[in-house]
Amino acid sequence: MAEKGAGLPADRLAATLALDEPVDRVRLVSPARAQALAGLGIRTVRDLATHFPRRYVDLSEKKTIAQARIGESCTIEGVVHEAKLKRPRPKPGRRGGLTLTEVTLVDDTGVLIVTAFRQPWLAEQLAPGMRMAVAGAVEFNYGYKRMTNPHLERLEDGKAASGMIIPVHPACEKVSAAWMRRLAGNALAAASGALDPLPLDLRAKHRLMSRFAALSCIHFPRTMDEARQARRRLVYEELLLLQLKLIGEGRAREAGQRACAHVADGPAVRALSEALPFPLTADQQAACDAILADMAAPHAMNRMLLGDVGTGKTAVAAFALAAVRDTGTQALFLAPTEVLARQHGKSLGPWLDEAGASWAVLTGSTPAAERAEIVERLASGELSVLIGTHALLEDDVAPARCTLAVIDEQQRFGVEQREKLLGKGQAVDALSLTATPIPRSLALALFGSMELSYLRARPATAAGRDTSVLSKQDKGRAYDAARAALARGEQVYVVCPLVGQSSQERDERAGKRAAREGDEDAYVYAAISIEADGDYAGDDVAAAEREAEFLQRTVFADWQVELLCGRMSGAEKQAVMERFRSGGTQVLVATTVIEVGVDVPNATVMIIEDADRFGLSQLHQLRGRVGRGSKRGQVFLVSASRTEAALARLAAMEETDDGLELAAFDLSLRREGDILGNRQSGASSLKLVNVVRDAAVIEAAHADAVALLDEDPRLELPEHRALAREVRLAFGEDDGARKRGKGR
């Protein structure tokens, strides 16, 4: 499909700049519609032009009226015999005002009655003898074949109807899907002839459409193959821009700096190896070798260590910390929660002591005098390793020479937080840890140039766990298993999502969030993200306390029950966890505060309430808290859901305990935006990418971005300037375009 409106260079420049004008410059976008569109995040012409259909209604099958079968969807061409406006009499007790237009359409084979609700203007616009094409589902009643609210298209003289493919755009209450189609077409007209930012050699290499052709074809495809080719072009563009951004940032971080070449085989590393009470698995040893080799090189390491729950990521990270001690420099170890930071201190501390590395833990609840001493020791270079929470990001936490940053559960931290930690030293080696297994394609989409190490095997000492899905009515089985475990001297977790809110309140909040996103399919992930984002608005701590009190009074009356939730202070959380870890508390009612890293080997039973409201990876990490020691664990996923999708997700938890398998299954279920999330750099600019389906495109875009930046590090060559501008626009770095897009 040829690009339209090429025109003169000045015309093309004007069309390119028009993309970043306020959306009310588009024909038919009134102030009221502009306000409604803003609710969908559409503020510029570009936003509207890239508000892509979420699906298509394929009505490409063209039939005569006689050929059309009842219940099938198709396109029919005919001549208007009559168009009448009707106002049915309202039923008793109901308000009137409903109008419908009834159109009688005929062809050589029969009669079709078309009914259009709340479109009174059609009665005036459609005249007898006018040729029309209608596309929709065929019904039969009152003796005639019928279509209700079909897509209608007037056929000009000599034009024949072709089978229609109708795009379905995300819409909102004040702008219907039909209006969104019309406005998207007007946005394309406003930007007709805009410059294509992709260099011609890349378009030729991958056989890609021009940008304008791709935008036209993805909104209004003539065939489904045309829509697929358009999507392929636009996916590649999104990914190339993201890779240029991420790789460019990584190179800029090292520009003018020299990374530390660490000592990889010194006495601290050897002492740690001898001090470990267990042999490393083959995966752990391979990861250690790769990490130490990276650290010994004279360039900054950027590696992610991915390991399922219980595979021993912390032990591997300890070798990196020991190498820092051998080099005489310092390391910062960032954890997402105070509970986890202090647990790392308990597990890593003795190993670091054996390696001769000084260490401390710094959190938000560290007493002022102790904090001042830790900060002073760090600044003087006396302290080798500092483990902590977001407190490490404070400006006065200034190490004398930081050469390594370890980020545990790195997906819990925003881009700016990670960058601030890495900014504590010069060309700092970065080691990210995650218990959420992700494929290489997703890692590239999220982080650009990053090496990966996988830990797949668990230590042989772990007993593992069994998982069962229960309905609310069968929850008694879980309580019976919990009481049996308590009678044996073991301990129990009861996990609740948003513990202080009723299911109805959570439903309402998730529904509102999904509505704001304009996607009815987003409900499950909206409900999940409310908890994952720490969105405790309206969280009623008293209700959470009542839940714990109920269990203490009834189900677990013979044992000690305590509550652990996100709203507690750091000191309160620490005290609760210490009592549970020491056995003073036998039942812990908790939110996902205990999701990551909490290690109490004596806890063998976990009951997860409303399990359908969690993501699979989150459920998998939660259940990883039991079965870590010599006693086999039991996990009960309790759900009141009857939806097929939710039950399929929970069934997967019963079928496998392999985090990689679950991650692949989870990715296959999610929509593109749900996979990437908005907290990652550039993720919000990816509207079409699916990391499962587009793995090959991600690899290609990554390789092309590396080659482009090798040739032209700042994208300053004439053939790359349009591309450089698109990178700035995609990630909010063009102030002029942003100001224009704010509207009037």
Side-chain angles (χ1 to χ4, degrees), residues 67-237:
Q67 291 172 334
R69 294 182 178 180
I70 308 304
E72 76 173 351
S73 297
C74 63
T75 297
I76 294 174
E77 176 183 348
V79 175
V80 175
H81 174 72
E82 184 180 37
K84 296 188 298 185
L85 180 63
K86 294 185 175 182
R87 290 186 172 85
R89 180 179 298 174
K91 294 182 179 180
R94 294 190 178 182
R95 298 174 60 186
L98 176 68
T99 62
L100 62 86
T101 302
E102 190 172 87
V103 182
T104 304
L105 200 69
V106 299
D107 68 4
D108 293 339
T109 68
V111 177
L112 178 74
I113 305 297
V114 174
T115 303
F117 289 97
R118 293 187 175 90
Q119 299 178 57
W121 58 87
L122 287 177
E124 298 179 2
Q125 293 178 352
L126 303 181
M130 188 177 290
R131 293 176 58 248
M132 295 288 300
V134 294
V138 180
E139 306 164 348
F140 184 86
N141 52 53
Y142 297 103
Y144 290 97
K145 289 182 178 178
R146 297 174 179 267
M147 283 187 182
T148 302
N149 283 338
H151 180 81
L152 299 97
E153 181 181 7
R154 180 179 174 181
L155 301 176
E156 303 295 341
D157 293 342
K159 181 180 179 182
S162 57
M164 298 178 187
I165 296 175
I166 302 173
V168 180
H169 293 76
C172 61
E173 183 178 353
K174 295 185 178 179
V175 183
S176 67
W179 263 103
M180 201 65 79
R181 282 196 296 272
R182 187 177 303 178
L183 297 179
N186 291 346
L188 293 178
S192 177
L195 294 166
D196 192 326
L198 289 190
L200 185 58
D201 59 337
L202 287 181
R203 287 166 52 190
K205 173 183 176 182
H206 299 295
R207 302 179 68 182
L208 300 173
M209 291 180 173
S210 72
R211 175 195 265 184
F212 189 79
L215 288 173
S216 298
C217 291
I218 199 167
H219 283 290
F220 307 108
R222 293 173 297 189
T223 66
M224 289 307 298
D225 182 64
E226 198 171 71
R228 284 188 287 270
Q229 292 302 321
R231 182 189 173 279
R232 188 172 72 91
R233 150 65 206 238
L234 295 169
V235 162
Y236 175 83
E237 180 180 320

Side-chain angles (χ1 to χ4, degrees), residues 33-99:
R33 288 198 182 106
Q35 186 175 0
L37 291 172
L40 294 174
I42 300 172
R43 293 179 173 83
T44 66
V45 179
R46 180 191 299 271
D47 293 337
L48 187 53
T50 57
H51 187 67
F52 301 121
R54 67 166 177 261
R55 62 186 177 88
Y56 300 92
V57 178
D58 186 358
L59 303 174
S60 54
E61 188 75 14
K62 183 180 173 184
K63 297 286 184 68
T64 66
I65 294 174
Q67 291 172 334
R69 294 182 178 180
I70 308 304
E72 76 173 351
S73 297
C74 63
T75 297
I76 294 174
E77 176 183 348
V79 175
V80 175
H81 174 72
E82 184 180 37
K84 296 188 298 185
L85 180 63
K86 294 185 175 182
R87 290 186 172 85
R89 180 179 298 174
K91 294 182 179 180
R94 294 190 178 182
R95 298 174 60 186
L98 176 68
T99 62

Side-chain angles (χ1 to χ4, degrees), residues 284-353:
Q284 286 176 313
Q285 188 61 61
C288 282
D289 293 343
I291 290 167
L292 293 174
D294 283 353
M295 293 179 68
H299 56 75
M301 173 177 70
N302 188 18
R303 182 171 289 273
M304 180 184 289
L305 179 61
L306 303 102
D308 204 349
V309 288
T311 52
K313 297 182 295 299
T314 306
V316 173
F319 282 89
L321 301 176
V324 168
R325 171 66 183 89
D326 281 328
T327 310
T329 58
Q330 295 168 293
L332 297 175
F333 193 119
L334 180 62
T337 67
E338 181 165 346
V339 169
L340 187 54
R342 294 198 177 277
Q343 182 162 298
H344 280 317
K346 289 183 179 296
S347 59
L348 282 170
W351 297 343
L352 293 174
D353 289 338

Side-chain angles (χ1 to χ4, degrees), residues 330 375-376 378-381 392 394-401 424:
Q330 295 168 293
V375 169
E376 183 179 346
L378 188 71
S380 69
L392 299 187
E394 297 294 330
D395 291 339
D396 65 338
V397 178
R401 192 186 176 197
K424 299 282 184 178

Side-chain angles (χ1 to χ4, degrees), residues 52 197-198 202 206 208 211 230-248 440-449 672 675-676 681-706 708-709 715 723 726-727 730-731:
F52 301 121
L198 289 190
L202 287 181
H206 299 295
L208 300 173
R211 175 195 265 184
R231 182 189 173 279
R232 188 172 72 91
R233 150 65 206 238
L234 295 169
V235 162
Y236 175 83
E237 180 180 320
E238 287 185 352
L239 288 165
L240 181 66
L241 298 178
L242 178 61
Q243 293 299 306
L244 289 170
K245 166 75 171 175
L246 295 176
I247 296 170
R440 171 178 162 81
S441 59
L442 178 54
L444 288 178
L446 291 176
F447 309 111
S449 294
E672 291 83 346
I675 292 171
L676 293 165
S681 175
S684 59
S685 70
L686 299 181
K687 298 183 177 182
L688 294 172
V689 176
N690 180 299
V691 295
V692 177
R693 180 174 50 194
D694 300 321
V697 185
I698 293 172
E699 294 280 2
H702 176 75
D704 291 340
V706 170
L708 278 169
L709 292 173
L715 299 179
L723 188 59
E726 288 297 317
V727 173
F731 304 104

